[in-house]
Amino acid sequence: MASKKIQLEINRLRDEINLHNTQYYVLDDPQVSDQYYDQLLRKLQTLEKQFPGLITTDSPTQRVGAEASEQFESVEHEVPMLSLDNAFDEAEMQAFNKRLSELLSLEVSLQYCAEPKLDGLAVSLLYEQGQLVRAATRGDGRSGENITTNVRTIKSVPLKLVGDKIPELLEVRGEVYMPLKGFKQLNDRQRQHDNKIFANPRNAAAGSLRQLDPKITASRPLAFCCYSIAQLLGTTLPDSQFDQMQLVKLLGLPISPYIEKLNSIEACSDYYHSMADKRDFLSFEIDGVVFKLNKISQQNKAGFVSRAPRWAIARKFPAQEVMTTLLDVEFQVGRTGALTPVARLEPVEVGGVIVSNATLHNMDEINRKDIRIGDTVIVRRAGDVIPEVVSAVLKDRKAGFNKPEMPGACPVCNSEVIQQEGQAAFRCTGGLVCAAQRKEAIKHFASRKAMDIDGLGDKLVEQLVDLGLIDSIADLYSLTLDQLSSMDRMAEKSAKNLLDALEHSKQTTLPRFIYSLGIREVGEATALALANYFTELTAVESADEETLVQVDDVGPVVAANIVHFFDQAENQHVIQRVIEAGLQWPDIEKVEDIDLPLKGTTYVITGTLENYSRQQAAEILKKLGAKVSSSVSKKTTAVVAGDRPGSKVDKANKLDVTVLDEKAFDELTGNRHV
Ligand code: IVH
């Protein structure tokens, strides 16, 4: 009897979890908090642990079930997996449309179904009686590899179809891809562990899907989007591409939210341009738009040529990765003196703009990627990210192509360049003697999050320094209308506005001012913590390292940077002059008096978090005013639970204390991941 009840409860939990999965991944409309979802999952896990006989492979707890395998088995595709013809311009689209109209002997305009072309890997998913039984790669189109265990770990792939009309058999095709945010986080993680860096989200998705150990795939942020039905048995197949996609959506498979029916080739052109405009703002990479004849009867009439359908075409966007020649590597000096290698390139169009410079990040990256001057290199420009050199094309390398070398002296001020132990960056030791560092320091001072001086842009700062009108931030406050109006492209009105903005900036706050000084590794959060802790600038200036490390967010390295900064007579002098010019801020209340967002709350942290140590998570909470305790009680506001959380979560559940997962923690603290 008891076991029947338990089976029912397990079924109920699974159904509810699947429902929330659909709401989240397919309908993009979550109905419950992540926290509630996790509670359901945990309840199910607990029951399944108690009654292992009731575990089924389609249970949402069983995504990473299998052990690592030796190799992937081969899978025959009953329906071949085709590729697409490409169109690169309007004329090719017109030709495509004309061909089809003639072939179908139709005078009226054809209806198309359009979707973005995701840049990932094609996979086939086979569902029997609603259960995911097989996933395969495209391979050569006739046979691919069986990657079921890996695909099961992708959360947006349902293990079980939903709804009340489950087909006997359904094979869908779609793209596995890696959203951009996950891609960046994965590469950061890879870099930290000295592992391979992926050149782009597509490679990262491919590398993740081809892992023999599904646990690794599970740790990679992959997603799935369905774009066609290959086989369907047991229900009627809708007679248009668009309706077929609505059917798979009802069955719980994610489809593109940008899918549209278009009634003419002109509408296709509009769709293409509108997607091109959206491209840089999407959370995933697309490399074009796919247009398919919407009516299946027309598709069947049009048929195929070799490996691509005649009834579909991909209109490609300008490539985001192109090859060009690395002409030279120069070094740019930043605010903190760090020398950044910059690639000078044979100009080339990337993602629709001409690029002649790209970042190489640092010497470690150059070495890791083994890049030499003269190489043919792959340059990538995606979204609003600055163009970067991704890799060298080794087959084009000639003898005599040399590695770029870090100069021994600063290219701007000729001071010595050194690399501090344990740091990747090489730095110019010139400090404010170095014009480059002076310029960067002033730009930083004027920037939005610092003193927010409207009208004092980067170009103007450079001109002012080059003309010798300013040497430091203090000189800004003695600029005159005459001096400013005599600058290039500076009307008297703009000069007046700038003087007003400078005057306005004198009323500031202590955290802003500390931040605007540009002390190495002192960002906004640290500046705020310092201001709150010391409440007076003089106290920060005279603090020793031992005192500084007491401040949240300040470790020994940052403490040393702060002491070093205020030790420089030059810096002291500049600060004094700025204050004499009238810069001021209101008094700061002591930290206890400030209404921090988590004031009065108590958290317990348990288990292994993915992105933080427990110590780091505690620091973040404390900074927001929360207390962090080691034991759960009724007074606990919530327990933050990572992987393998142990008994604290049980206790929390018993006491009805909220349990937060890492995502909920990120939301709470504003550190958003994935
Ligand atoms: S339809 C018979 N639709 O592009 C038609 N493909 O270049 C087969 N792709 O192998 C593909 N987004 O991996 C289709 N919305 C979309 C797509 C898409 C990405 C990929 C797919 C295919 C490749 C062809």
Side-chain angles (χ1 to χ4, degrees):
M1 227 7 240
S3 82
K4 177 125 192 259
K5 243 173 138 183
I6 283 154
Q7 179 72 69
L8 283 177
E9 173 65 358
I10 286 184
N11 290 349
R12 190 193 68 77
L13 284 167
R14 286 179 187 160
D15 286 348
E16 192 179 349
I17 292 169
N18 285 339
L19 185 88
H20 294 316
N21 266 341
T22 312
Q23 289 293 139
Y24 188 90
Y25 290 109
V26 182
L27 305 174
D28 205 10
D29 182 23
Q31 301 287 319
V32 294
S33 66
D34 291 359
Q35 201 179 324
Y36 176 80
Y37 176 88
D38 289 345
Q39 272 173 8
L40 291 178
L41 203 63
R42 223 162 288 141
K43 265 193 210 154
L44 179 59
Q45 272 164 344
T46 316
L47 282 177
E48 288 181 346
K49 215 187 247 167
Q50 277 175 318
F51 303 93
L54 301 181
I55 298 178
T56 56
T57 48
D58 67 355
S59 171
T61 58
Q62 302 301 303
R63 287 201 173 264
V64 201
E67 292 298 310
S69 59
E70 304 265 303
Q71 65 173 74
F72 299 114
E73 281 166 19
S74 167
V75 168
E76 294 275 322
H77 297 301
E78 269 177 57
V79 181
M81 286 183 82
L82 302 167
S83 68
L84 286 169
D85 271 347
N86 293 325
F88 291 95
D89 57 29
E90 206 70 47
E92 287 178 4
M93 285 301 294
Q94 291 288 350
F96 163 75
N97 185 53
K98 188 156 172 262
R99 223 165 31 238
L100 283 175
S101 300
E102 285 171 5
L103 205 100
L104 301 168
S105 319
L106 285 176
E107 306 271 302
V108 290
S109 64
L110 297 171
Q111 189 178 55
Y112 292 99
C113 179
E115 289 158 343
K117 186 173 187 301
L118 288 164
D119 206 3
L121 294 97
V123 297
S124 137
L125 306 182
L126 184 64
Y127 288 88
E128 283 173 2
Q129 314 297 349
Q131 309 271 342
L132 174 66
V133 292
R134 197 199 69 192
T137 62
R138 175 169 182 272
D140 62 6
R142 294 179 191 289
S143 68
E145 289 178 317
N146 187 329
I147 49 162
T148 314
T149 50
N150 285 346
V151 168
R152 287 174 59 92
T153 69
I154 302 173
K155 299 215 181 64
S156 50
V157 171
L159 298 179
K160 202 178 154 194
L161 298 178
V162 298
D164 41 16
K165 276 210 196 116
I166 305 288
E168 264 163 60
L169 179 142
L170 171 72
E171 185 191 347
V172 293
R173 307 272 163 85
E175 201 84 348
V176 166
Y177 63 99
M178 191 176 284
L180 283 166
K181 200 165 175 187
F183 166 67
K184 282 187 199 114
Q185 282 169 7
L186 171 62
N187 261 354
D188 286 346
R189 219 158 66 204
Q190 293 287 98
R191 202 171 281 119
Q192 269 166 23
H193 295 99
D194 247 340
N195 286 336
K196 181 190 150 116
I197 304 292
F198 295 101
N200 52 46
R202 201 196 111 79
N203 289 0
S208 303
L209 214 46
R210 297 208 78 270
Q211 294 289 333
L212 289 168
D213 182 354
K215 284 197 194 64
I216 300 184
T217 311
S219 75
R220 304 281 174 83
L222 294 172
F224 175 74
C225 178
C226 182
Y227 55 64
S228 76
I229 295 184
Q231 305 190 66
L232 179 71
L233 293 178
T235 3
T236 14
L237 187 64
D239 63 3
S240 76
Q241 166 70 16
F242 187 85
D243 291 344
Q244 289 191 1
M245 289 300 97
Q246 302 313 310
L247 172 71
V248 296
K249 183 173 177 180
L250 284 176
L251 291 169
L253 286 151
I255 65 166
S256 174
Y258 299 99
I259 189 165
E260 262 183 56
K261 271 187 284 196
L262 303 170
N263 288 321
S264 66
I265 199 71
E266 290 73 31
C268 291
S269 173
D270 293 346
Y271 181 90
Y272 168 83
H273 290 293
S274 108
M275 277 321 296
D277 290 343
K278 293 195 183 91
R279 185 189 194 186
D280 282 355
F281 307 102
L282 297 178
S283 58
F284 45 84
E285 240 166 44
I286 60 176
D287 57 350
V289 171
V290 183
F291 298 101
K292 298 169 191 169
L293 265 182
N294 193 35
K295 285 220 174 73
I296 304 297
S297 58
Q298 293 179 350
Q299 288 187 2
N300 291 340
K301 241 188 214 163
F304 303 87
V305 253
S306 66
R307 296 174 48 173
R310 270 205 200 91
W311 43 263
I313 200 154
R315 177 149 184 210
K316 299 297 282 283
F317 290 138
Q320 285 180 323
E321 276 177 30
V322 298
M323 292 199 285
T324 188
T325 310
L326 175 60
L327 301 174
D328 199 2
V329 173
E330 286 171 13
F331 290 84
Q332 252 168 23
V333 189
R335 168 167 60 84
T336 60
L339 270 69
T340 310
V342 179
R344 302 287 176 226
L345 304 164
E346 184 67 50
V348 69
E349 189 179 322
V350 197
V353 302
I354 304 288
V355 165
S356 46
N357 302 314
T359 181
L360 283 157
H361 300 289
N362 56 48
M363 291 311 277
D364 282 357
E365 290 276 319
I366 293 183
N367 290 331
R368 199 200 292 264
K369 294 172 182 166
D370 183 22
I371 286 166
R372 315 223 178 143
I373 296 167
D375 272 345
T376 300
V377 289
I378 294 176
V379 178
R380 177 181 155 86
R381 190 192 78 92
D384 51 1
V385 183
I386 34 175
E388 62 166 350
V389 175
V390 177
S391 59
V393 180
L394 293 183
K395 71 173 176 47
D396 290 354
R397 177 164 296 165
K398 306 245 161 51
F401 286 3
N402 292 324
K403 283 189 177 179
E405 270 187 55
M406 180 57 69
C410 171
V412 177
C413 72
N414 224 12
S415 304
E416 192 191 357
V417 168
I418 57 158
Q419 184 180 30
Q420 268 164 355
E421 243 187 66
Q423 292 194 6
F426 286 77
R427 289 179 204 281
C428 158
T429 51
L432 293 177
V433 169
C434 178
Q437 288 180 63
R438 280 204 309 268
K439 284 179 186 169
E440 295 307 315
I442 299 167
K443 287 179 200 169
H444 173 76
F445 185 78
S447 66
R448 203 173 46 80
K449 288 179 185 168
M451 304 304 287
D452 194 16
I453 305 172
D454 237 12
L456 187 58
D458 290 0
K459 287 261 141 43
L460 184 57
V461 170
E462 287 180 18
Q463 276 185 51
L464 289 166
V465 174
D466 289 339
L467 289 172
L469 291 177
I470 55 172
D471 254 349
S472 74
I473 56 172
D475 298 333
L476 287 172
Y477 292 104
S478 31
L479 283 169
T480 65
L481 191 60
D482 275 356
Q483 283 174 328
L484 285 175
S485 335
S486 69
M487 305 287 299
D488 263 5
R489 274 169 280 143
M490 175 75 103
E492 193 175 312
K493 176 103 179 38
S494 331
K496 269 206 185 103
N497 287 346
L498 177 54
L499 285 182
D500 284 349
L502 279 162
E503 199 52 39
H504 184 72
S505 75
K506 288 180 184 170
Q507 308 303 325
T508 187
T509 65
L510 182 56
R512 251 181 202 272
F513 184 61
I514 295 176
Y515 171 68
S516 71
L517 291 172
I519 305 167
R520 199 188 304 164
E521 286 174 62
V522 176
E524 282 171 291
T526 312
L528 179 65
L530 287 167
N532 282 336
Y533 189 92
F534 291 104
T535 72
E536 310 248 358
L537 182 67
T538 45
V540 188
E541 286 174 329
S542 57
D544 58 14
E545 291 180 29
E546 238 166 57
T547 319
L548 284 163
V549 292
Q550 304 296 317
V551 182
D552 280 347
D553 218 33
V554 176
V557 175
V558 179
N561 289 343
I562 296 168
V563 169
H564 178 78
F565 182 89
F566 290 112
D567 269 355
Q568 311 294 306
E570 170 73 21
N571 290 337
Q572 288 286 355
H573 184 59
V574 167
I575 292 171
Q576 197 189 336
R577 282 181 54 213
V578 171
I579 289 170
E580 277 167 14
L583 198 120
Q584 54 180 316
W585 51 85
D587 283 349
I588 289 226
E589 299 167 79
K590 270 276 179 210
V591 67
E592 304 89 74
D593 306 331
I594 290 178
D595 241 349
L596 288 165
L598 297 185
K599 194 173 153 185
T601 59
T602 309
Y603 287 81
V604 174
I605 306 171
T606 178
T608 315
L609 297 169
E610 197 184 328
N611 293 302
Y612 318 90
S613 65
R614 281 202 289 274
Q615 173 86 20
Q616 283 168 331
E619 292 302 327
I620 292 173
L621 288 169
K622 282 193 215 157
K623 220 167 64 194
L624 294 169
K627 284 205 186 83
V628 177
S629 156
S630 58
S631 61
V632 183
S633 76
K634 267 198 170 151
K635 291 202 182 123
T636 310
T637 312
V639 173
V640 178
D643 223 20
R644 288 180 305 267
S647 65
K648 284 181 189 157
V649 164
D650 298 340
K651 183 144 185 217
N653 285 333
K654 218 179 270 164
L655 294 175
D656 234 7
V657 167
T658 311
V659 179
L660 304 178
D661 65 0
E662 187 161 345
K663 206 166 159 202
F665 168 79
D666 283 337
E667 270 161 28
L668 175 76
T669 57
N671 293 305
R672 283 161 206 277
H673 289 273
V674 182

